[in-house]
């Protein structure tokens, strides 16, 4: 209902006379300052800050929860295990492949590193940094190897082979008959072999005589690993992983105990299990289950790199082996082991399969808090096959086979920042992608003013680049530059700051950052990113507040003054919005949906429910 008179307003459908003009105030649209992450790196009075300085929580967070994910990232190939330092990962040494076959076994024996390239057995010659000539030919491509009583055994499917340091002997020769073997382990000074058909045998005399103990009731081909773990009686026993669960051996009664843990049947379930510290770790796909078993109690904890948002789609595949060392748990992921899945149309299964695109194989490390990628294959569809942690040749190293070759990199017995080791060598580059940040509100506009980083170890060849992306666009990155670093290469120690839009600010609903760390030809040098800080403000929609003096000291438009007071009171007490219309000095009417906040005034003496009232309205 438009107003037709000067000094008159309409509120919630009722007309009121006013004294003077309607006072219009713009409500401050800026939220209170907040600090997300490391508050010790914030010095702003009015701008909010997002500060990343601790990355130990690891990968797997795409959209951060600001209260809990300040030490997480989406993806990283940098070393994330040290608070306040993000550096390059270790440099891997390419040991080459002297054959045309993939390396399928890596194992330490007699202080030397042995490798089986298909059926070709060789050892690493540290002095010449090369592989030896062929030591012998295995019966078939080996699926497992184990050192037992100073001899090295290989499981080769239809038989096993034994290496004593000079001679390779088949099971057929040793035992006068072939002994099918897929997996090996040692328990109670006995060597156990498990066949592809589920037959478990053991030998007490180094593979000469064998005793059949138990045959699994599972169908052939269901078996994926053999290792030693605790049972629910706190005894270390032979433990078998399968495509559907984990079984403990009851040796005295020659049977497999119902599994501690089951999972839906999966072709790569349970491959390469291992014990580390107080628990065992069972890979299933890109996931890993931690089994802590004691006092008739089993605690199962999913803790693999598939937790939270999981791995980026480029790194899909299956973990084929896990191994622990002093400071971390490593998982080797093979991105060439893609499986089919059923196609569904309208709720019906149709014939056909859909294969996942193979991605980048990688070596992942768990530091006790989170995961990071230590190595990523140079291109897609390159297989990872095996790994070993060893002290061969008196060097503590992790060895792994990928890309058709063998690599190693040094490990440290102590948990020590590599920056403190003058001879530590680093990879040529590293990538770190932070999660999407929306200040706990993905629909409110924010304005970013500046981005600062603090780095050290920076030179013309050791530098950091910073990129940003906005509003959940996963494919677009913008390199940050300024007058000091026009090419974006931050190569000077200390704090480097970049402004958005020449200081005018960048509007965003969500924002994230990517940093690239690069080094030159000096392998012992690495840039060190100590923290990254965004300065921004929240900018919600502008709101208006109206203040006016309503004259209820007299009757108006055929309504008594007391009735107008009652109507004003009703407007203030209602929880809904109402229409407010006033006449501007141009003679036109402006209309708003408002909430009546308050009416303050003094009732004139001797007159009931009449007077002048200051009314405050908020436009919403």
């Amino acid at each position: 209902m438009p107003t037709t008179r000067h000094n008159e307003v309409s509120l919630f459908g009722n007309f009121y006379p006013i004294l003077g003009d309607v006072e219009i105030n713009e409500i401050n649209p800026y939220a209170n300052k907040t600090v997300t992450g490391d508050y010790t790196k914030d010095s702003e009075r009015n701008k909010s800050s997002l500060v990343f300085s601790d990355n130990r929580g690891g990968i797997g967070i795409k959209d951060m929860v600001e209260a809990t994910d300040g030490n997480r990232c989406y993806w990283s190939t940098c070393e994330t295990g040290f608070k306040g330092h993000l550096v390059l990962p270790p440099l891997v040494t390419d040991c080459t492949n002297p054959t045309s076959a993939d390396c399928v076994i890596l194992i330490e024996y007699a202080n030397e590193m042995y490798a089986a390239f298909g059926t070709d057995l060789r050892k690493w010659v540290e002095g010449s940094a090369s592989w030896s000539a062929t030591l012998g030919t295995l019966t078939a491509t080996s699926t497992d190897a184990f050192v037992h009583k100073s001899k090295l055994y290989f499981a080769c499917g239809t038989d096993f082979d034994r290496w004593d340091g000079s001679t390779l002997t088949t099971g057929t020769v040793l035992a006068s008959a072939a002994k099918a073997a897929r997996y090996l382990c040692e328990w109670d000074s006995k060597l156990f072999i498990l066949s592809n058909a589920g037959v478990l045998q053991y030998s007490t005399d180094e593979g000469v005589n064998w005793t059949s103990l138990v045959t699994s009731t599972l169908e052939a081909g269901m078996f994926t690993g053999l290792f030693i773990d605790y049972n629910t009686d706190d005894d270390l026993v032979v433990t078998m992983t399968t495509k559907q669960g984990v079984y403990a051996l009851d040796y005295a009664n020659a049977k497999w105990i119902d599994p501690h843990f089951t999972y839906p049947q999966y072709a790569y379930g349970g491959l390469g299990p291992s014990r580390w510290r107080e628990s065992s770790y069972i890979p299933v796909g890109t996931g890993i289950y931690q089994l802590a078993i004691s006092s008739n109690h089993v605690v199962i904890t999913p803790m693999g790199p598939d937790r939270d948002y999981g791995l980026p789609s480029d790194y899909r595949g299956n973990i084929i082996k896990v191994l622990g060392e002093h400071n971390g748990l490593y998982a080797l992921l093979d991105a060439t082991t893609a499986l089919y899945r059923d196609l569904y149309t309208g709720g019906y299964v149709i014939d056909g399969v859909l294969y996942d695109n193979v991605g980048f194989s990688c070596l992942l490390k768990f530091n006790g808090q989170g995961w990071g990628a230590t190595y990523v294959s140079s291109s897609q569809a390159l297989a990872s096959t095996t790994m070993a942690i060893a002290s061969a040749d008196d060097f503590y190293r992790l060895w792994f086979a990928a890309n058709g070759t063998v690599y190693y990199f040094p490990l440290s017995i102590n948990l020590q920042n590599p920056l403190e080791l003058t001879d530590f060598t680093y990879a040529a580059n590293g990538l770190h992608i932070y999660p999407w940040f929306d200040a706990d509100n993905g629909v409110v506009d924010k304005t970013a003013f500046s981005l600062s980083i603090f780095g050290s170890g920076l030179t013309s060849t050791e530098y950091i680049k910073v990129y940003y992306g906005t509003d959940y666009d996963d494919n677009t990155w913008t390199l940050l530059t300024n007058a000091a670093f026009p090419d974006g290469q931050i190569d000077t120690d200390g704090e480097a700051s970049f402004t958005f839009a020449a200081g005018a600010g960048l509007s965003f609903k969500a924002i994230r950052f990517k940093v690239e760390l690069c080094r030159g030809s000096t392998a012992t040098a690495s840039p060190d990113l100590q923290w990254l800080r965004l300065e921004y403000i929240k900018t919600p929609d502008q709101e208006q507040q109206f203040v006016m003096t309503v004259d209820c000291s007299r009757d108006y438009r055929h309504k008594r003054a007391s009735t107008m007071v009652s109507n004003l009171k009703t407007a203030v007490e209602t929880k809904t919005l109402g229409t407010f219309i006033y006449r501007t000095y141009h003679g036109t009417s402006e209309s708003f949906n408002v909430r009546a906040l308050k009416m303050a005034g003094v009732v004139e003496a001797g007159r009931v429910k009449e007077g002048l009232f200051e009314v405050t309205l908020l436009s919403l």
Side-chain angles (χ1 to χ4, degrees):
M1 186 183 299
T3 61
T4 57
R5 303 176 184 178
H6 292 291
N7 298 321
E8 177 186 70
V9 298
S10 173
L11 180 63
F12 283 55
N14 296 303
F15 289 108
Y16 300 91
I18 62 172
L19 300 180
D21 297 324
V22 175
E23 180 183 335
I24 304 173
N25 298 310
E26 298 292 337
I27 301 298
N28 185 356
Y30 303 124
N32 292 332
K33 169 188 169 167
T34 59
V35 178
T36 303
D38 187 354
Y39 67 90
T40 66
K41 305 299 188 297
D42 171 69
S43 60
E44 280 290 325
R45 291 186 177 183
N46 300 311
K47 298 173 186 173
S48 294
S49 297
L50 166 67
V51 186
F52 290 107
S53 65
D54 183 4
N55 304 287
R56 291 175 297 172
I59 64 175
I61 293 297
K62 187 174 184 181
D63 302 313
M64 74 180 296
V65 176
E66 279 71 7
T68 60
D69 296 334
N71 67 343
R72 302 291 301 276
C73 64
Y74 178 48
W75 175 250
S76 183
T77 61
C78 296
E79 172 57 67
T80 61
F82 301 95
K83 184 177 182 180
H85 300 278
L86 186 70
V87 296
L88 290 170
L91 176 67
V92 298
T93 298
D94 186 349
C95 300
T96 72
N97 183 341
T99 74
S100 59
D102 281 339
C103 176
V104 293
I105 295 292
L106 286 166
I107 187 168
E108 180 182 0
Y109 171 66
N111 198 34
E112 294 180 298
M113 178 54 63
Y114 282 74
F117 297 92
T119 59
D120 189 343
L121 179 62
R122 299 175 184 245
K123 67 179 179 180
W124 179 250
V125 183
E126 184 68 27
S128 63
S130 61
W131 297 101
S132 70
T134 298
L135 302 174
T137 302
L138 301 175
T139 300
T141 300
S142 180
T143 52
D144 198 11
F146 197 86
V147 176
H148 169 71
K149 293 183 179 179
S150 301
K151 293 180 175 61
L152 176 56
Y153 295 79
F154 296 90
C156 298
T158 57
D159 202 356
F160 72 92
D161 291 330
R162 189 184 76 179
W163 171 258
D164 62 7
S166 60
T167 304
L168 191 65
T169 308
T170 66
T172 300
V173 173
L174 286 170
S176 300
K179 297 295 178 181
R182 186 172 180 84
Y183 297 108
L184 303 159
C185 76
E186 180 186 83
W187 177 80
D188 191 29
S189 298
K190 302 176 179 67
L191 177 66
F192 285 80
I193 59 173
L194 178 69
S195 74
N196 194 55
V199 179
L200 185 70
Q201 303 180 71
Y202 69 86
S203 172
T204 59
D205 55 5
E206 302 181 11
V208 176
N209 293 290
W210 291 89
T211 301
S212 294
L213 183 64
V214 61
T215 299
S216 172
T217 58
L218 297 177
E219 62 186 274
M222 288 291 291
F223 312 101
T224 54
L226 202 64
F227 71 115
I228 304 301
D229 196 11
Y230 284 98
N231 63 12
T232 51
D233 292 325
D234 289 340
D235 295 323
L236 282 170
V237 298
V238 175
T239 304
M240 175 178 69
T241 54
T242 73
K243 295 178 182 180
Q244 63 184 38
V246 182
Y247 295 77
L249 177 66
D250 181 350
Y251 177 80
N253 295 299
K255 66 178 182 179
W256 291 107
I257 302 298
D258 288 341
H260 306 307
F261 170 51
T262 60
Y263 37 82
Q265 184 171 323
Y266 185 63
Y268 300 95
L271 276 178
S274 180
R275 278 196 61 79
W276 181 55
R277 295 178 178 171
E278 79 289 351
S279 304
S280 59
Y281 294 84
I282 314 299
V284 180
T286 55
I288 298 176
Y289 294 95
Q290 177 185 6
L291 272 63
I293 304 172
S294 64
S295 303
N296 203 32
H297 186 62
V298 182
V299 177
I300 301 169
T301 305
M303 51 71 65
D306 64 334
R307 62 180 181 161
D308 301 317
Y309 286 79
L311 294 168
S313 59
D314 283 346
Y315 306 94
R316 61 174 66 91
N318 294 282
I319 293 171
I320 59 172
K321 195 164 189 175
V322 293
L323 284 176
E325 54 102 8
H326 292 284
N327 302 311
L329 179 73
Y330 286 88
L332 186 63
L333 184 143
D334 178 30
T336 66
T337 50
L339 288 178
Y340 74 87
R341 59 176 180 263
D342 293 328
L343 296 177
Y344 292 85
T345 301
Y348 296 94
V349 180
I350 63 174
D351 292 335
V353 294
L354 177 67
Y355 284 90
D356 288 328
N357 293 325
V358 293
F360 294 89
S361 297
C362 57
L363 178 64
L364 303 165
K365 178 185 177 183
F366 180 69
N367 61 20
Q369 296 186 46
W371 291 90
T374 300
Y375 162 86
V376 175
S377 62
S378 57
S379 62
Q380 293 180 319
L382 296 174
S384 298
T385 53
T386 189
M387 70 171 169
I389 292 173
S391 298
D393 297 301
D394 299 323
F395 292 101
Y396 186 42
R397 295 179 284 205
L398 187 147
W399 298 71
F400 65 101
N403 287 10
T405 187
V406 176
Y407 301 98
Y408 73 74
F409 62 86
L411 297 173
S412 175
I413 294 178
N414 301 313
L415 185 61
Q416 190 169 13
N417 190 326
L419 292 171
E420 299 176 2
L421 305 174
T422 57
D423 59 347
F424 190 89
T425 54
Y426 301 90
N429 50 68
L431 172 71
H432 189 86
I433 302 176
Y434 294 96
W436 283 108
F437 169 76
D438 63 9
D440 276 329
N441 195 323
V443 297
V444 169
D445 288 322
K446 278 77 66 176
T447 301
F449 291 100
S450 66
L451 187 285
S452 302
I453 73 158
F454 191 95
S456 61
L458 304 176
T459 68
S460 60
T461 54
E462 282 70 45
Y463 57 83
I464 299 170
K465 286 185 173 183
V466 183
Y467 301 78
Y468 72 89
T470 59
D471 299 343
Y472 303 107
D473 181 351
D474 289 331
N475 301 312
T476 303
W477 294 101
T478 301
L479 175 65
L480 283 170
T481 61
N482 60 18
F485 310 109
D487 56 1
Q489 296 185 7
I490 305 168
D491 53 14
T492 303
D493 286 355
E495 184 174 359
S497 295
F498 301 85
T499 59
F500 293 96
L506 171 71
S507 178
F508 70 94
K509 286 184 169 59
I511 194 169
R512 69 171 177 172
F513 302 96
K514 175 179 73 173
V515 295
E516 294 177 353
L517 276 61
C518 301
R519 69 158 172 84
S521 59
T522 303
T524 55
S526 170
D528 175 18
L529 177 59
Q530 297 181 23
W531 51 258
L532 177 148
R533 181 183 65 220
L534 170 70
E535 293 177 351
Y536 71 98
I537 58 172
K538 291 182 180 179
T539 54
D541 293 338
Q542 198 85 359
E543 295 176 348
Q544 291 181 314
Q545 180 176 279
F546 304 97
V547 180
M548 58 197 170
T549 301
V550 177
D551 183 3
C552 294
S553 63
R554 56 191 175 88
D555 299 343
Y556 186 75
R557 282 213 180 194
H558 309 294
K559 288 187 178 179
R560 298 183 63 85
S562 59
T563 300
M564 290 191 294
V565 173
S566 179
N567 290 341
L568 274 179
K569 184 177 180 182
T570 299
V572 171
E573 292 176 348
T574 187
K575 303 300 182 182
T576 59
L577 303 182
T579 303
F580 168 61
I581 304 173
Y582 75 97
R583 192 176 181 85
T584 69
Y585 67 90
H586 292 296
T588 59
S589 295
E590 296 283 348
S591 178
F592 299 89
N593 287 326
V594 298
R595 170 79 186 274
L597 299 180
K598 67 178 181 178
M599 53 179 290
V602 178
V603 176
E604 292 185 358
R607 305 186 69 177
V608 180
K609 294 183 179 179
E610 298 176 9
L612 304 177
F613 295 90
E614 184 178 80
V615 177
T616 303
L617 310 173
L618 180 63
S619 172
L620 296 172

